[in-house]
Amino acid sequence: MNRFKAVCATQLGALGMQLWGVAAEDGRLFSIRRRPNGPWDEKWSAESKAPRNLFSLTAAQDRKGLTSLWALDNGVLVSRLWETGEDEGVTNPTHVKFALICVCEPSNKVGRQLWGVDSNNKGLYYACEEESGVWRWVQWKSAQWEGFQKATALTAAQDWEGWTSVWALDNGVLLSRALRQQEKGVGYMPYYEWVTNPTPANVKLARICGCNQGGALTLWGVGEKGELWWNYQNDYKEGKWTGWKPFRGPEDTVNSLAAARRQDGRVLLWAISNSNSSL
């Protein structure tokens, strides 16, 4: 059985649903795939030959259903396109060193967006795909946020209209921000300022992940003791949330989460257990 220290997943698309894990022992990357209308692979495949120091994995499919994976390797942003699978990991240019990254899937309104918190916890940056005949990535821009104390998690998802919401954990405090496109080809603008969101009573969250489920946004969180929580929109058009509730998880505490949506709209959630780093 593989022992992992980080995982991420993508939605079911042209290449199927994919799940990645970074080995706890040597940092190598492994993957397993569920093919469209088929079963999961029988075993995990090694995607990197040499040990690496990968962390903060994130992945998303483009509008054609092809998957790209991003990770931080000692703070350097690397990526891989699974259309060909020929490269070990391409170094992507950034003007700051990142401590956290996350990607948001494309929607009917916007392309994929890649988000990053710099290693000094001083700011939040984003790069986005913009349409100019073909989808292309634009340069990294500041998301106009300064002052993270100690960001420990970052996640993003599209709402029912196709716009982006971003969440960050800062010293256990859950912050969020919704964004809208300013105008075509120009970029994004904040629709709301960063706001503090309620968290479970007397619980300080250590990890979060988000996903769109049938139009409604859903958040999962891991408390400092490794227990699982969740919060979802019961009236997504009005932006109303149910409030945090305990989420039944494995018979163990967890330290990492990944979520992906199936073709029928249901979401699969994966967790790494604290006791043996198994998935």
Side-chain angles (χ1 to χ4, degrees):
M1 181 178 290
N2 294 287
R3 293 167 55 87
F4 295 123
K5 63 180 180 180
V7 289
C8 76
T10 56
Q11 324 294 357
L12 192 60
L15 295 181
M17 182 176 285
Q18 294 156 292
L19 183 64
W20 289 269
V22 175
E25 290 80 7
D26 58 10
R28 286 191 302 155
L29 182 66
F30 289 82
S31 73
I32 192 169
R33 181 173 64 178
R34 180 188 177 188
R35 302 178 187 279
N37 302 316
W40 286 91
D41 293 341
E42 293 184 0
K43 61 181 181 178
W44 291 78
S45 301
E47 299 290 352
S48 56
K49 300 175 182 177
R52 306 189 69 165
N53 188 27
L54 297 177
F55 62 97
S56 200
L57 294 180
T58 189
Q61 295 170 357
D62 63 14
R63 291 173 179 269
K64 297 178 181 179
L66 301 175
T67 298
S68 290
L69 173 78
W70 293 266
L72 293 176
D73 188 354
N74 287 319
V76 176
L77 182 65
V78 296
S79 67
R80 183 172 183 179
L81 175 64
W82 249 256
E83 180 179 9
T84 60
E86 295 176 353
D87 55 322
E88 272 275 325
V90 177
T91 299
N92 303 147
T94 59
H95 63 287
V96 296
K97 198 170 184 178
F98 287 120
L100 293 170
I101 55 169
C102 77
V103 68
C104 191
E105 62 181 326
S107 72
N108 61 330
K109 288 188 170 66
V110 296
R112 293 176 297 182
Q113 307 111 55
L114 192 59
W115 299 83
V117 177
D118 69 21
S119 57
N120 295 318
N121 280 291
K122 294 296 185 182
L124 180 71
Y125 300 86
Y126 71 93
C128 60
E129 286 182 312
E130 292 183 336
E131 185 179 13
S132 56
V134 295
W135 288 91
R136 62 182 178 85
W137 287 94
V138 300
Q139 64 184 3
W140 287 90
K141 302 176 182 179
S142 172
Q144 302 175 2
W145 171 253
E146 301 287 341
F148 284 120
Q149 297 180 40
K150 187 180 179 182
T152 58
L154 190 66
T155 190
Q158 305 284 6
D159 65 16
W160 69 280
E161 293 182 288
W163 299 116
T164 304
S165 290
V166 184
W167 296 269
L169 281 180
D170 189 19
N171 266 343
V173 177
L174 182 61
L175 305 172
S176 70
R177 192 175 196 178
L179 290 98
R180 297 291 188 269
Q181 196 169 25
Q182 194 166 3
E183 53 183 86
K184 189 173 182 179
V186 174
Y188 296 85
M189 64 177 293
Y191 185 66
Y192 300 115
E193 292 302 316
W194 283 95
V195 296
T196 300
N197 300 151
T199 53
N202 302 317
V203 173
K204 198 172 184 180
L205 295 177
R207 296 287 186 271
I208 51 170
C209 76
C211 192
N212 182 305
Q213 183 176 8
L217 293 172
T218 303
L219 280 176
W220 289 269
V222 180
E224 288 185 305
K225 297 179 181 178
E227 75 278 16
L228 277 174
W229 299 84
W230 74 323
N231 189 6
Y232 60 92
Q233 290 180 326
N234 55 356
D235 187 346
Y236 56 86
K237 292 187 177 181
E238 295 295 329
K240 295 180 180 180
W241 294 74
T242 60
W244 290 93
K245 301 175 182 179
F247 186 85
R248 183 179 178 182
E251 303 268 330
D252 196 359
T253 57
V254 300
N255 61 26
S256 184
L257 294 173
R261 188 177 60 254
R262 302 186 347 167
Q263 285 178 321
D264 61 7
R266 291 183 293 175
V267 172
L268 292 178
L269 182 69
W270 292 269
I272 297 179
S273 68
N274 275 323
S275 61
N276 58 11
S277 296
S278 63
L279 190 62

